Amino acid sequence: MIKIWGRNTSSNVQKAMWAVGELGLAHQRIDVGGAFGQTREPKYLAMNPNGLVPTLEEEDGFTMWESNSIVRYLAGKHDKTGALEPKDPHARGLASQWMDWQLSVVGPAITPVFWGLIRTPPEKRDMNAIKAGRDKTVDAMKILDAQLGKTEYVAGPAFSYGDIPVGVMCYRFVQLVTDRPAMPNLDRWYAAVSSRPAFKDQVGSVPLS
């Protein structure tokens, strides 16, 4: 049985857990980080020197961190049917591309919105920073909407691990940016990914906090 160290409200933990759910892996998730603390303790830092979540721990003692890397690793090891890791090298490359886009573009864009609206008391909110983040997030999601006008999922005609990190960010987008412009392709795709049982269990059922 694998262990995923990290609280379920973390978007990065949600990526790993969504993949675990898609793959049907026996697992134990252990609450650390945020209000649970423990990420600065020597035992945890020995597994993840960054003191962040998630961390994957396997029965043989193998550990690794970085959420998107964990998703790719689990799919590469356990996905025997091609349900998550595309077999076509082009599709596999595009899936990784969109995973990296989530880290470099949409994640940084939406972070000020999330922190401002969810983790900051109303009287202390920097509305200018929230608006700037909102605008950057909308611009990023327009890029995604344009891609989804060409392909059913981010890497092609089938769901893949490329949809997982982007889907987690899109959950935050639809919750936090309620005045967004029309994005019909994104809406169609998000309806599909958010209807998946693993998304419902690990992402959609967890309130933003």
Side-chain angles (χ1 to χ4, degrees), residues 127-166:
M127 297 310 296
N128 289 330
I130 292 171
K131 182 182 183 304
R134 179 260 180 210
D135 293 345
K136 289 180 180 178
T137 303
V138 168
D139 287 344
M141 290 301 184
K142 287 179 179 178
I143 295 172
L144 178 61
D145 182 68
Q147 173 62 33
L148 293 169
K150 304 171 186 176
T151 55
E152 188 171 356
Y153 294 93
V154 299
F159 178 83
S160 73
Y161 55 35
D163 295 283
I164 289 178
V166 182

PDB file of all heavy atoms in Angstrom, residues 127-166:
ATOM      1  N   MET A 127      -7.357  44.079  -2.839  1.00  0.00           N
ATOM      2  CA  MET A 127      -8.251  43.884  -3.964  1.00  0.00           C
ATOM      3  C   MET A 127      -7.555  44.117  -5.306  1.00  0.00           C
ATOM      4  O   MET A 127      -7.933  43.517  -6.315  1.00  0.00           O
ATOM      5  CB  MET A 127      -9.475  44.787  -3.833  1.00  0.00           C
ATOM      6  CG  MET A 127     -10.335  44.490  -2.601  1.00  0.00           C
ATOM      7  SD  MET A 127     -10.761  42.729  -2.403  1.00  0.00           S
ATOM      8  CE  MET A 127     -11.752  42.443  -3.879  1.00  0.00           C
ATOM      9  N   ASN A 128      -6.541  44.965  -5.306  1.00  0.00           N
ATOM     10  CA  ASN A 128      -5.797  45.179  -6.556  1.00  0.00           C
ATOM     11  C   ASN A 128      -5.051  43.908  -6.959  1.00  0.00           C
ATOM     12  O   ASN A 128      -5.024  43.532  -8.139  1.00  0.00           O
ATOM     13  CB  ASN A 128      -4.818  46.339  -6.399  1.00  0.00           C
ATOM     14  CG  ASN A 128      -5.516  47.682  -6.317  1.00  0.00           C
ATOM     15  OD1 ASN A 128      -6.589  47.874  -6.899  1.00  0.00           O
ATOM     16  ND2 ASN A 128      -4.925  48.624  -5.601  1.00  0.00           N
ATOM     17  N   ALA A 129      -4.432  43.243  -5.969  1.00  0.00           N
ATOM     18  CA  ALA A 129      -3.715  42.004  -6.263  1.00  0.00           C
ATOM     19  C   ALA A 129      -4.690  40.907  -6.686  1.00  0.00           C
ATOM     20  O   ALA A 129      -4.395  40.117  -7.588  1.00  0.00           O
ATOM     21  CB  ALA A 129      -2.915  41.561  -5.042  1.00  0.00           C
ATOM     22  N   ILE A 130      -5.853  40.864  -6.055  1.00  0.00           N
ATOM     23  CA  ILE A 130      -6.857  39.872  -6.415  1.00  0.00           C
ATOM     24  C   ILE A 130      -7.334  40.098  -7.841  1.00  0.00           C
ATOM     25  O   ILE A 130      -7.455  39.158  -8.630  1.00  0.00           O
ATOM     26  CB  ILE A 130      -8.029  39.907  -5.419  1.00  0.00           C
ATOM     27  CG1 ILE A 130      -7.571  39.413  -4.045  1.00  0.00           C
ATOM     28  CG2 ILE A 130      -9.203  39.069  -5.928  1.00  0.00           C
ATOM     29  CD1 ILE A 130      -8.582  39.616  -2.945  1.00  0.00           C
ATOM     30  N   LYS A 131      -7.605  41.370  -8.190  1.00  0.00           N
ATOM     31  CA  LYS A 131      -8.064  41.667  -9.547  1.00  0.00           C
ATOM     32  C   LYS A 131      -6.985  41.338 -10.583  1.00  0.00           C
ATOM     33  O   LYS A 131      -7.283  40.772 -11.654  1.00  0.00           O
ATOM     34  CB  LYS A 131      -8.458  43.128  -9.683  1.00  0.00           C
ATOM     35  CG  LYS A 131      -8.992  43.475 -11.080  1.00  0.00           C
ATOM     36  CD  LYS A 131      -9.327  44.940 -11.231  1.00  0.00           C
ATOM     37  CE  LYS A 131      -9.938  45.217 -12.620  1.00  0.00           C
ATOM     38  NZ  LYS A 131      -9.039  44.771 -13.722  1.00  0.00           N
ATOM     39  N   ALA A 132      -5.734  41.673 -10.279  1.00  0.00           N
ATOM     40  CA  ALA A 132      -4.653  41.369 -11.216  1.00  0.00           C
ATOM     41  C   ALA A 132      -4.532  39.865 -11.419  1.00  0.00           C
ATOM     42  O   ALA A 132      -4.358  39.378 -12.551  1.00  0.00           O
ATOM     43  CB  ALA A 132      -3.337  41.945 -10.705  1.00  0.00           C
ATOM     44  N   GLY A 133      -4.648  39.108 -10.329  1.00  0.00           N
ATOM     45  CA  GLY A 133      -4.597  37.657 -10.437  1.00  0.00           C
ATOM     46  C   GLY A 133      -5.777  37.109 -11.213  1.00  0.00           C
ATOM     47  O   GLY A 133      -5.628  36.183 -12.017  1.00  0.00           O
ATOM     48  N   ARG A 134      -6.936  37.697 -10.963  1.00  0.00           N
ATOM     49  CA  ARG A 134      -8.140  37.274 -11.693  1.00  0.00           C
ATOM     50  C   ARG A 134      -7.954  37.483 -13.188  1.00  0.00           C
ATOM     51  O   ARG A 134      -8.271  36.601 -13.997  1.00  0.00           O
ATOM     52  CB  ARG A 134      -9.337  38.062 -11.174  1.00  0.00           C
ATOM     53  CG  ARG A 134     -10.669  37.743 -11.867  1.00  0.00           C
ATOM     54  CD  ARG A 134     -10.988  38.791 -12.907  1.00  0.00           C
ATOM     55  NE  ARG A 134     -12.247  38.516 -13.586  1.00  0.00           N
ATOM     56  CZ  ARG A 134     -12.529  38.858 -14.828  1.00  0.00           C
ATOM     57  NH1 ARG A 134     -11.630  39.485 -15.567  1.00  0.00           N
ATOM     58  NH2 ARG A 134     -13.707  38.588 -15.363  1.00  0.00           N
ATOM     59  N   ASP A 135      -7.437  38.645 -13.582  1.00  0.00           N
ATOM     60  CA  ASP A 135      -7.257  38.940 -15.003  1.00  0.00           C
ATOM     61  C   ASP A 135      -6.233  37.999 -15.646  1.00  0.00           C
ATOM     62  O   ASP A 135      -6.427  37.527 -16.778  1.00  0.00           O
ATOM     63  CB  ASP A 135      -6.824  40.395 -15.189  1.00  0.00           C
ATOM     64  CG  ASP A 135      -7.922  41.389 -14.809  1.00  0.00           C
ATOM     65  OD1 ASP A 135      -9.096  40.966 -14.677  1.00  0.00           O
ATOM     66  OD2 ASP A 135      -7.602  42.583 -14.633  1.00  0.00           O
ATOM     67  N   LYS A 136      -5.139  37.722 -14.931  1.00  0.00           N
ATOM     68  CA  LYS A 136      -4.125  36.805 -15.456  1.00  0.00           C
ATOM     69  C   LYS A 136      -4.686  35.387 -15.588  1.00  0.00           C
ATOM     70  O   LYS A 136      -4.373  34.669 -16.549  1.00  0.00           O
ATOM     71  CB  LYS A 136      -2.902  36.803 -14.542  1.00  0.00           C
ATOM     72  CG  LYS A 136      -2.076  38.079 -14.599  1.00  0.00           C
ATOM     73  CD  LYS A 136      -0.879  37.993 -13.670  1.00  0.00           C
ATOM     74  CE  LYS A 136      -0.048  39.267 -13.715  1.00  0.00           C
ATOM     75  NZ  LYS A 136       1.105  39.203 -12.774  1.00  0.00           N
ATOM     76  N   THR A 137      -5.516  35.006 -14.625  1.00  0.00           N
ATOM     77  CA  THR A 137      -6.106  33.670 -14.683  1.00  0.00           C
ATOM     78  C   THR A 137      -7.063  33.545 -15.859  1.00  0.00           C
ATOM     79  O   THR A 137      -7.065  32.528 -16.570  1.00  0.00           O
ATOM     80  CB  THR A 137      -6.846  33.358 -13.374  1.00  0.00           C
ATOM     81  OG1 THR A 137      -5.938  33.487 -12.275  1.00  0.00           O
ATOM     82  CG2 THR A 137      -7.411  31.944 -13.385  1.00  0.00           C
ATOM     83  N   VAL A 138      -7.875  34.569 -16.090  1.00  0.00           N
ATOM     84  CA  VAL A 138      -8.787  34.552 -17.233  1.00  0.00           C
ATOM     85  C   VAL A 138      -7.997  34.456 -18.536  1.00  0.00           C
ATOM     86  O   VAL A 138      -8.349  33.675 -19.435  1.00  0.00           O
ATOM     87  CB  VAL A 138      -9.693  35.800 -17.218  1.00  0.00           C
ATOM     88  CG1 VAL A 138     -10.431  35.947 -18.549  1.00  0.00           C
ATOM     89  CG2 VAL A 138     -10.698  35.717 -16.068  1.00  0.00           C
ATOM     90  N   ASP A 139      -6.923  35.228 -18.636  1.00  0.00           N
ATOM     91  CA  ASP A 139      -6.097  35.170 -19.848  1.00  0.00           C
ATOM     92  C   ASP A 139      -5.533  33.763 -20.052  1.00  0.00           C
ATOM     93  O   ASP A 139      -5.489  33.245 -21.182  1.00  0.00           O
ATOM     94  CB  ASP A 139      -4.957  36.178 -19.761  1.00  0.00           C
ATOM     95  CG  ASP A 139      -5.426  37.619 -19.931  1.00  0.00           C
ATOM     96  OD1 ASP A 139      -6.561  37.818 -20.414  1.00  0.00           O
ATOM     97  OD2 ASP A 139      -4.662  38.533 -19.568  1.00  0.00           O
ATOM     98  N   ALA A 140      -5.084  33.136 -18.955  1.00  0.00           N
ATOM     99  CA  ALA A 140      -4.548  31.778 -19.060  1.00  0.00           C
ATOM    100  C   ALA A 140      -5.624  30.795 -19.493  1.00  0.00           C
ATOM    101  O   ALA A 140      -5.402  29.944 -20.365  1.00  0.00           O
ATOM    102  CB  ALA A 140      -3.952  31.360 -17.717  1.00  0.00           C
ATOM    103  N   MET A 141      -6.788  30.925 -18.907  1.00  0.00           N
ATOM    104  CA  MET A 141      -7.862  29.996 -19.227  1.00  0.00           C
ATOM    105  C   MET A 141      -8.387  30.190 -20.645  1.00  0.00           C
ATOM    106  O   MET A 141      -8.929  29.255 -21.238  1.00  0.00           O
ATOM    107  CB  MET A 141      -8.984  30.111 -18.203  1.00  0.00           C
ATOM    108  CG  MET A 141      -8.601  29.580 -16.830  1.00  0.00           C
ATOM    109  SD  MET A 141      -8.115  27.828 -16.882  1.00  0.00           S
ATOM    110  CE  MET A 141      -7.862  27.480 -15.138  1.00  0.00           C
ATOM    111  N   LYS A 142      -8.212  31.362 -21.202  1.00  0.00           N
ATOM    112  CA  LYS A 142      -8.553  31.561 -22.608  1.00  0.00           C
ATOM    113  C   LYS A 142      -7.646  30.724 -23.505  1.00  0.00           C
ATOM    114  O   LYS A 142      -8.075  30.211 -24.547  1.00  0.00           O
ATOM    115  CB  LYS A 142      -8.446  33.041 -22.977  1.00  0.00           C
ATOM    116  CG  LYS A 142      -9.561  33.912 -22.422  1.00  0.00           C
ATOM    117  CD  LYS A 142      -9.365  35.363 -22.819  1.00  0.00           C
ATOM    118  CE  LYS A 142     -10.489  36.251 -22.290  1.00  0.00           C
ATOM    119  NZ  LYS A 142     -10.268  37.688 -22.630  1.00  0.00           N
ATOM    120  N   ILE A 143      -6.383  30.576 -23.101  1.00  0.00           N
ATOM    121  CA  ILE A 143      -5.458  29.710 -23.836  1.00  0.00           C
ATOM    122  C   ILE A 143      -5.951  28.269 -23.794  1.00  0.00           C
ATOM    123  O   ILE A 143      -5.957  27.556 -24.809  1.00  0.00           O
ATOM    124  CB  ILE A 143      -4.042  29.826 -23.250  1.00  0.00           C
ATOM    125  CG1 ILE A 143      -3.495  31.242 -23.459  1.00  0.00           C
ATOM    126  CG2 ILE A 143      -3.108  28.768 -23.848  1.00  0.00           C
ATOM    127  CD1 ILE A 143      -2.181  31.504 -22.751  1.00  0.00           C
ATOM    128  N   LEU A 144      -6.367  27.831 -22.598  1.00  0.00           N
ATOM    129  CA  LEU A 144      -6.898  26.480 -22.457  1.00  0.00           C
ATOM    130  C   LEU A 144      -8.173  26.304 -23.266  1.00  0.00           C
ATOM    131  O   LEU A 144      -8.355  25.280 -23.936  1.00  0.00           O
ATOM    132  CB  LEU A 144      -7.161  26.187 -20.982  1.00  0.00           C
ATOM    133  CG  LEU A 144      -7.774  24.827 -20.648  1.00  0.00           C
ATOM    134  CD1 LEU A 144      -6.862  23.693 -21.095  1.00  0.00           C
ATOM    135  CD2 LEU A 144      -8.062  24.729 -19.150  1.00  0.00           C
ATOM    136  N   ASP A 145      -9.058  27.288 -23.236  1.00  0.00           N
ATOM    137  CA  ASP A 145     -10.303  27.215 -23.991  1.00  0.00           C
ATOM    138  C   ASP A 145     -10.026  27.077 -25.483  1.00  0.00           C
ATOM    139  O   ASP A 145     -10.690  26.292 -26.181  1.00  0.00           O
ATOM    140  CB  ASP A 145     -11.145  28.462 -23.719  1.00  0.00           C
ATOM    141  CG  ASP A 145     -12.483  28.436 -24.435  1.00  0.00           C
ATOM    142  OD1 ASP A 145     -13.333  27.602 -24.084  1.00  0.00           O
ATOM    143  OD2 ASP A 145     -12.671  29.256 -25.369  1.00  0.00           O
ATOM    144  N   ALA A 146      -9.028  27.811 -25.981  1.00  0.00           N
ATOM    145  CA  ALA A 146      -8.683  27.723 -27.405  1.00  0.00           C
ATOM    146  C   ALA A 146      -8.171  26.322 -27.746  1.00  0.00           C
ATOM    147  O   ALA A 146      -8.533  25.756 -28.797  1.00  0.00           O
ATOM    148  CB  ALA A 146      -7.629  28.764 -27.754  1.00  0.00           C
ATOM    149  N   GLN A 147      -7.342  25.747 -26.885  1.00  0.00           N
ATOM    150  CA  GLN A 147      -6.856  24.382 -27.131  1.00  0.00           C
ATOM    151  C   GLN A 147      -8.004  23.387 -27.163  1.00  0.00           C
ATOM    152  O   GLN A 147      -8.045  22.481 -28.013  1.00  0.00           O
ATOM    153  CB  GLN A 147      -5.855  23.987 -26.043  1.00  0.00           C
ATOM    154  CG  GLN A 147      -5.404  22.538 -26.099  1.00  0.00           C
ATOM    155  CD  GLN A 147      -4.674  22.193 -27.387  1.00  0.00           C
ATOM    156  OE1 GLN A 147      -3.976  23.047 -27.955  1.00  0.00           O
ATOM    157  NE2 GLN A 147      -4.824  20.966 -27.853  1.00  0.00           N
ATOM    158  N   LEU A 148      -8.944  23.557 -26.220  1.00  0.00           N
ATOM    159  CA  LEU A 148     -10.053  22.618 -26.116  1.00  0.00           C
ATOM    160  C   LEU A 148     -11.089  22.809 -27.218  1.00  0.00           C
ATOM    161  O   LEU A 148     -12.023  22.019 -27.333  1.00  0.00           O
ATOM    162  CB  LEU A 148     -10.696  22.737 -24.731  1.00  0.00           C
ATOM    163  CG  LEU A 148      -9.773  22.276 -23.591  1.00  0.00           C
ATOM    164  CD1 LEU A 148     -10.352  22.671 -22.242  1.00  0.00           C
ATOM    165  CD2 LEU A 148      -9.528  20.768 -23.664  1.00  0.00           C
ATOM    166  N   GLY A 149     -10.912  23.834 -28.023  1.00  0.00           N
ATOM    167  CA  GLY A 149     -11.690  23.952 -29.245  1.00  0.00           C
ATOM    168  C   GLY A 149     -11.135  23.073 -30.353  1.00  0.00           C
ATOM    169  O   GLY A 149     -11.794  22.849 -31.374  1.00  0.00           O
ATOM    170  N   LYS A 150      -9.918  22.563 -30.152  1.00  0.00           N
ATOM    171  CA  LYS A 150      -9.260  21.715 -31.150  1.00  0.00           C
ATOM    172  C   LYS A 150      -9.245  20.247 -30.738  1.00  0.00           C
ATOM    173  O   LYS A 150      -9.249  19.368 -31.602  1.00  0.00           O
ATOM    174  CB  LYS A 150      -7.816  22.189 -31.344  1.00  0.00           C
ATOM    175  CG  LYS A 150      -7.670  23.652 -31.736  1.00  0.00           C
ATOM    176  CD  LYS A 150      -6.212  24.070 -31.695  1.00  0.00           C
ATOM    177  CE  LYS A 150      -6.038  25.551 -31.931  1.00  0.00           C
ATOM    178  NZ  LYS A 150      -4.616  25.979 -31.786  1.00  0.00           N
ATOM    179  N   THR A 151      -9.162  19.988 -29.433  1.00  0.00           N
ATOM    180  CA  THR A 151      -9.071  18.617 -28.937  1.00  0.00           C
ATOM    181  C   THR A 151     -10.069  18.428 -27.803  1.00  0.00           C
ATOM    182  O   THR A 151     -10.390  19.371 -27.073  1.00  0.00           O
ATOM    183  CB  THR A 151      -7.656  18.303 -28.420  1.00  0.00           C
ATOM    184  OG1 THR A 151      -7.286  19.273 -27.418  1.00  0.00           O
ATOM    185  CG2 THR A 151      -6.648  18.329 -29.542  1.00  0.00           C
ATOM    186  N   GLU A 152     -10.526  17.206 -27.639  1.00  0.00           N
ATOM    187  CA  GLU A 152     -11.524  16.933 -26.598  1.00  0.00           C
ATOM    188  C   GLU A 152     -10.941  17.099 -25.198  1.00  0.00           C
ATOM    189  O   GLU A 152     -11.591  17.614 -24.285  1.00  0.00           O
ATOM    190  CB  GLU A 152     -12.087  15.526 -26.771  1.00  0.00           C
ATOM    191  CG  GLU A 152     -13.261  15.234 -25.847  1.00  0.00           C
ATOM    192  CD  GLU A 152     -13.951  13.921 -26.182  1.00  0.00           C
ATOM    193  OE1 GLU A 152     -13.564  13.278 -27.183  1.00  0.00           O
ATOM    194  OE2 GLU A 152     -14.880  13.550 -25.446  1.00  0.00           O
ATOM    195  N   TYR A 153      -9.707  16.640 -25.024  1.00  0.00           N
ATOM    196  CA  TYR A 153      -8.976  16.795 -23.763  1.00  0.00           C
ATOM    197  C   TYR A 153      -7.666  17.507 -24.066  1.00  0.00           C
ATOM    198  O   TYR A 153      -7.351  17.762 -25.233  1.00  0.00           O
ATOM    199  CB  TYR A 153      -8.743  15.429 -23.110  1.00  0.00           C
ATOM    200  CG  TYR A 153     -10.029  14.772 -22.656  1.00  0.00           C
ATOM    201  CD1 TYR A 153     -10.706  13.880 -23.485  1.00  0.00           C
ATOM    202  CD2 TYR A 153     -10.581  15.051 -21.408  1.00  0.00           C
ATOM    203  CE1 TYR A 153     -11.892  13.283 -23.082  1.00  0.00           C
ATOM    204  CE2 TYR A 153     -11.768  14.463 -20.994  1.00  0.00           C
ATOM    205  CZ  TYR A 153     -12.420  13.578 -21.837  1.00  0.00           C
ATOM    206  OH  TYR A 153     -13.604  13.003 -21.432  1.00  0.00           O
ATOM    207  N   VAL A 154      -6.882  17.826 -23.044  1.00  0.00           N
ATOM    208  CA  VAL A 154      -5.733  18.701 -23.292  1.00  0.00           C
ATOM    209  C   VAL A 154      -4.704  18.078 -24.226  1.00  0.00           C
ATOM    210  O   VAL A 154      -4.021  18.794 -24.966  1.00  0.00           O
ATOM    211  CB  VAL A 154      -5.063  19.143 -21.971  1.00  0.00           C
ATOM    212  CG1 VAL A 154      -6.037  19.926 -21.107  1.00  0.00           C
ATOM    213  CG2 VAL A 154      -4.470  17.971 -21.205  1.00  0.00           C
ATOM    214  N   ALA A 155      -4.568  16.752 -24.207  1.00  0.00           N
ATOM    215  CA  ALA A 155      -3.541  16.104 -25.019  1.00  0.00           C
ATOM    216  C   ALA A 155      -4.091  15.356 -26.222  1.00  0.00           C
ATOM    217  O   ALA A 155      -3.339  14.690 -26.926  1.00  0.00           O
ATOM    218  CB  ALA A 155      -2.718  15.144 -24.160  1.00  0.00           C
ATOM    219  N   GLY A 156      -5.394  15.470 -26.460  1.00  0.00           N
ATOM    220  CA  GLY A 156      -5.968  14.759 -27.591  1.00  0.00           C
ATOM    221  C   GLY A 156      -7.370  14.270 -27.324  1.00  0.00           C
ATOM    222  O   GLY A 156      -8.099  14.847 -26.508  1.00  0.00           O
ATOM    223  N   PRO A 157      -7.775  13.175 -27.941  1.00  0.00           N
ATOM    224  CA  PRO A 157      -9.167  12.724 -27.843  1.00  0.00           C
ATOM    225  C   PRO A 157      -9.517  12.003 -26.555  1.00  0.00           C
ATOM    226  O   PRO A 157     -10.698  11.758 -26.296  1.00  0.00           O
ATOM    227  CB  PRO A 157      -9.307  11.773 -29.039  1.00  0.00           C
ATOM    228  CG  PRO A 157      -7.923  11.248 -29.260  1.00  0.00           C
ATOM    229  CD  PRO A 157      -7.008  12.388 -28.932  1.00  0.00           C
ATOM    230  N   ALA A 158      -8.523  11.647 -25.749  1.00  0.00           N
ATOM    231  CA  ALA A 158      -8.790  10.856 -24.542  1.00  0.00           C
ATOM    232  C   ALA A 158      -8.293  11.565 -23.287  1.00  0.00           C
ATOM    233  O   ALA A 158      -7.301  12.316 -23.316  1.00  0.00           O
ATOM    234  CB  ALA A 158      -8.123   9.488 -24.656  1.00  0.00           C
ATOM    235  N   PHE A 159      -8.952  11.318 -22.185  1.00  0.00           N
ATOM    236  CA  PHE A 159      -8.502  11.798 -20.880  1.00  0.00           C
ATOM    237  C   PHE A 159      -7.119  11.230 -20.580  1.00  0.00           C
ATOM    238  O   PHE A 159      -6.827  10.065 -20.893  1.00  0.00           O
ATOM    239  CB  PHE A 159      -9.491  11.347 -19.809  1.00  0.00           C
ATOM    240  CG  PHE A 159      -9.103  11.742 -18.408  1.00  0.00           C
ATOM    241  CD1 PHE A 159      -9.392  13.008 -17.922  1.00  0.00           C
ATOM    242  CD2 PHE A 159      -8.454  10.832 -17.580  1.00  0.00           C
ATOM    243  CE1 PHE A 159      -9.045  13.357 -16.626  1.00  0.00           C
ATOM    244  CE2 PHE A 159      -8.100  11.180 -16.284  1.00  0.00           C
ATOM    245  CZ  PHE A 159      -8.387  12.446 -15.803  1.00  0.00           C
ATOM    246  N   SER A 160      -6.252  12.043 -19.981  1.00  0.00           N
ATOM    247  CA  SER A 160      -4.911  11.596 -19.622  1.00  0.00           C
ATOM    248  C   SER A 160      -4.463  12.309 -18.358  1.00  0.00           C
ATOM    249  O   SER A 160      -5.162  13.182 -17.828  1.00  0.00           O
ATOM    250  CB  SER A 160      -3.920  11.897 -20.751  1.00  0.00           C
ATOM    251  OG  SER A 160      -3.643  13.292 -20.807  1.00  0.00           O
ATOM    252  N   TYR A 161      -3.270  11.950 -17.898  1.00  0.00           N
ATOM    253  CA  TYR A 161      -2.775  12.637 -16.705  1.00  0.00           C
ATOM    254  C   TYR A 161      -2.534  14.120 -16.945  1.00  0.00           C
ATOM    255  O   TYR A 161      -2.448  14.899 -16.000  1.00  0.00           O
ATOM    256  CB  TYR A 161      -1.554  11.956 -16.104  1.00  0.00           C
ATOM    257  CG  TYR A 161      -0.330  11.696 -16.962  1.00  0.00           C
ATOM    258  CD1 TYR A 161       0.099  12.552 -17.978  1.00  0.00           C
ATOM    259  CD2 TYR A 161       0.439  10.556 -16.718  1.00  0.00           C
ATOM    260  CE1 TYR A 161       1.231  12.307 -18.710  1.00  0.00           C
ATOM    261  CE2 TYR A 161       1.592  10.295 -17.441  1.00  0.00           C
ATOM    262  CZ  TYR A 161       1.986  11.171 -18.443  1.00  0.00           C
ATOM    263  OH  TYR A 161       3.127  10.920 -19.184  1.00  0.00           O
ATOM    264  N   GLY A 162      -2.456  14.539 -18.197  1.00  0.00           N
ATOM    265  CA  GLY A 162      -2.339  15.964 -18.471  1.00  0.00           C
ATOM    266  C   GLY A 162      -3.533  16.766 -18.016  1.00  0.00           C
ATOM    267  O   GLY A 162      -3.420  17.962 -17.706  1.00  0.00           O
ATOM    268  N   ASP A 163      -4.702  16.119 -17.946  1.00  0.00           N
ATOM    269  CA  ASP A 163      -5.917  16.814 -17.526  1.00  0.00           C
ATOM    270  C   ASP A 163      -6.003  16.993 -16.017  1.00  0.00           C
ATOM    271  O   ASP A 163      -6.805  17.813 -15.542  1.00  0.00           O
ATOM    272  CB  ASP A 163      -7.149  16.034 -18.009  1.00  0.00           C
ATOM    273  CG  ASP A 163      -7.249  15.988 -19.524  1.00  0.00           C
ATOM    274  OD1 ASP A 163      -7.649  17.008 -20.114  1.00  0.00           O
ATOM    275  OD2 ASP A 163      -6.912  14.942 -20.107  1.00  0.00           O
ATOM    276  N   ILE A 164      -5.207  16.244 -15.259  1.00  0.00           N
ATOM    277  CA  ILE A 164      -5.372  16.256 -13.806  1.00  0.00           C
ATOM    278  C   ILE A 164      -4.930  17.573 -13.170  1.00  0.00           C
ATOM    279  O   ILE A 164      -5.733  18.232 -12.488  1.00  0.00           O
ATOM    280  CB  ILE A 164      -4.673  15.031 -13.185  1.00  0.00           C
ATOM    281  CG1 ILE A 164      -5.467  13.766 -13.526  1.00  0.00           C
ATOM    282  CG2 ILE A 164      -4.525  15.193 -11.677  1.00  0.00           C
ATOM    283  CD1 ILE A 164      -4.846  12.476 -13.016  1.00  0.00           C
ATOM    284  N   PRO A 165      -3.683  18.025 -13.340  1.00  0.00           N
ATOM    285  CA  PRO A 165      -3.305  19.299 -12.719  1.00  0.00           C
ATOM    286  C   PRO A 165      -4.131  20.479 -13.229  1.00  0.00           C
ATOM    287  O   PRO A 165      -4.500  21.372 -12.457  1.00  0.00           O
ATOM    288  CB  PRO A 165      -1.828  19.455 -13.087  1.00  0.00           C
ATOM    289  CG  PRO A 165      -1.365  18.071 -13.382  1.00  0.00           C
ATOM    290  CD  PRO A 165      -2.540  17.395 -14.021  1.00  0.00           C
ATOM    291  N   VAL A 166      -4.418  20.472 -14.527  1.00  0.00           N
ATOM    292  CA  VAL A 166      -5.217  21.562 -15.097  1.00  0.00           C
ATOM    293  C   VAL A 166      -6.639  21.512 -14.546  1.00  0.00           C
ATOM    294  O   VAL A 166      -7.247  22.550 -14.254  1.00  0.00           O
ATOM    295  CB  VAL A 166      -5.207  21.469 -16.638  1.00  0.00           C
ATOM    296  CG1 VAL A 166      -6.000  22.624 -17.235  1.00  0.00           C
ATOM    297  CG2 VAL A 166      -3.776  21.484 -17.166  1.00  0.00           C
TER     298      VAL A 166
END
